[in-house]
Amino acid sequence: MANVWKSDLYRFGKSKLFYGIAAFTGIIPFLLIMLIHQDIRLGVSVLGDLTAFRKIDDIIRIGVEYHKGLGILAAVLISVFIGQEYQWKTWQHKWIISKSRKCIYLSKAILSSVVSVAIFFFFEIIALLGSGQIWDLLTSEYVAMMICSSFLYAALGSVICLLSMLIKNSTASVIACLCYVLFSETLVSVITNVSNFSDTAARLVEWGIQHSIYGMSSLVCSASISTDLGVTIVVSSIAIMFLSTVIGLFFFRKYEL
């Protein structure tokens, strides 16, 4: 597995898209902070969902809400990176290195989660450093939010990896991953409305939504993070990573590479 990991890491480090998205991820919070320091208020609408930037905390919290920006960047970067393996037909090289599809998939899954978390932390670090309010923002609640969010982004990377690995067409995988990120809120709304035919179904759906990446992201942004809530988010995120990896491994083993 180490050889496959090194190969993926080397190719990732050579990706121009990676550096482009990293630069974009750093520029956005910097510009938003500059506007706030100049008393310029900005509102950004993502699929009709308006987010206003009035203070530094708004910038920090939009990083947590993956579907409003950072999740899109992670989806594009990871899906393109994995999709290139299908486009360039380089899976055989990985097979020669490891002789194990398990190692091939796990390498991609780990890298996807790490990259997703790295995008989030890079955004938040730039926002924190540029805020001029580091010691005011570094509270126990802020630290809890960052820890919970890092697990959510790791889970997001794992799910994006699953979609990218199972969809052989590189363009289709990018579209599918973007739809997953962008339409999370819409999908949750539709499922909630459909489940209203039964109280039991409604309760099950509500429980599922609360433990989904979108549901937990909303909780982190809107509620004070207690110890119980933090543990629930961490455990649920690990469960999502485990399930998505098991499902991905099961189907990937059956693919003709």
Side-chain angles (χ1 to χ4, degrees):
M1 168 132 177
N3 290 330
V4 180
W5 167 257
K6 289 178 182 178
S7 174
D8 285 339
L9 202 59
Y10 175 80
R11 189 166 71 85
F12 199 86
K14 293 290 185 179
S15 172
K16 294 180 180 179
L17 180 62
F18 165 66
Y19 293 105
I21 285 181
F24 186 75
T25 302
I27 289 171
I28 291 301
F30 178 78
L31 290 178
L32 291 174
I33 288 170
M34 292 301 102
L35 290 175
I36 290 176
H37 285 332
Q38 296 298 320
D39 290 327
I40 299 174
R41 301 297 180 256
L42 178 68
V44 176
S45 178
V46 179
L47 297 177
D49 188 2
L50 180 64
T51 299
F53 297 98
R54 301 184 182 90
K55 51 187 180 179
I56 302 297
D57 188 62
D58 294 327
I59 300 175
I60 291 172
R61 289 184 181 277
I62 199 175
V64 177
E65 296 181 282
Y66 70 93
H67 59 287
K68 291 186 176 180
L70 294 186
I72 298 172
L73 300 179
V76 171
L77 181 57
I78 294 169
S79 59
V80 169
F81 176 75
I82 294 176
Q84 287 173 342
E85 296 278 12
Y86 289 109
Q87 182 181 354
W88 298 340
K89 303 184 185 301
T90 54
W91 287 118
Q92 291 299 328
H93 299 309
K94 299 291 190 301
W95 173 251
I96 291 172
I97 292 174
S98 69
K99 298 295 184 181
S100 170
R101 293 197 182 202
K102 178 181 177 181
C103 291
I104 294 173
Y105 188 94
L106 288 178
S107 175
K108 290 291 191 298
I110 294 171
L111 185 61
S112 297
S113 292
V114 170
V115 167
S116 184
V117 174
I119 288 174
F120 167 70
F121 271 123
F122 186 53
F123 179 93
E124 295 295 341
I125 288 171
I126 296 298
L128 187 64
L129 293 177
S131 67
Q133 306 172 16
I134 295 179
W135 301 116
D136 293 330
L137 293 172
L138 281 177
T139 62
S140 58
E141 184 177 349
Y142 174 84
V143 173
M145 183 188 297
M146 293 301 103
I147 293 173
C148 291
S149 299
S150 66
F151 277 91
L152 291 178
Y153 270 89
L156 177 66
S158 182
V159 173
I160 292 173
C161 176
L162 169 66
L163 295 174
S164 301
M165 292 290 278
L166 297 189
I167 301 174
K168 292 185 176 182
N169 184 285
S170 57
T171 302
S173 68
V174 173
I175 294 173
C177 292
L178 284 175
C179 287
Y180 171 78
V181 172
L182 286 171
F183 298 106
S184 296
E185 188 173 8
T186 302
L187 181 61
V188 165
S189 179
V190 171
I191 293 174
T192 301
N193 291 332
V194 170
S195 67
N196 286 334
F197 70 90
S198 165
D199 290 340
T200 302
R203 285 195 295 270
L204 287 173
V205 168
E206 183 181 3
W207 182 89
I209 291 173
Q210 289 177 349
H211 291 80
S212 68
I213 299 175
Y214 171 79
M216 291 187 291
S217 174
S218 300
L219 280 174
V220 171
C221 284
S222 61
S224 178
I225 302 176
S226 63
T227 302
D228 290 342
L229 178 58
V231 171
T232 299
I233 290 173
V234 170
V235 172
S236 297
S237 299
I238 293 173
I240 291 172
M241 286 187 278
F242 176 77
L243 288 174
S244 60
T245 302
V246 170
I247 293 170
L249 277 171
F250 176 79
F251 287 103
F252 185 66
R253 284 177 176 178
K254 300 179 181 296
Y255 273 18
E256 181 179 349
L257 299 178

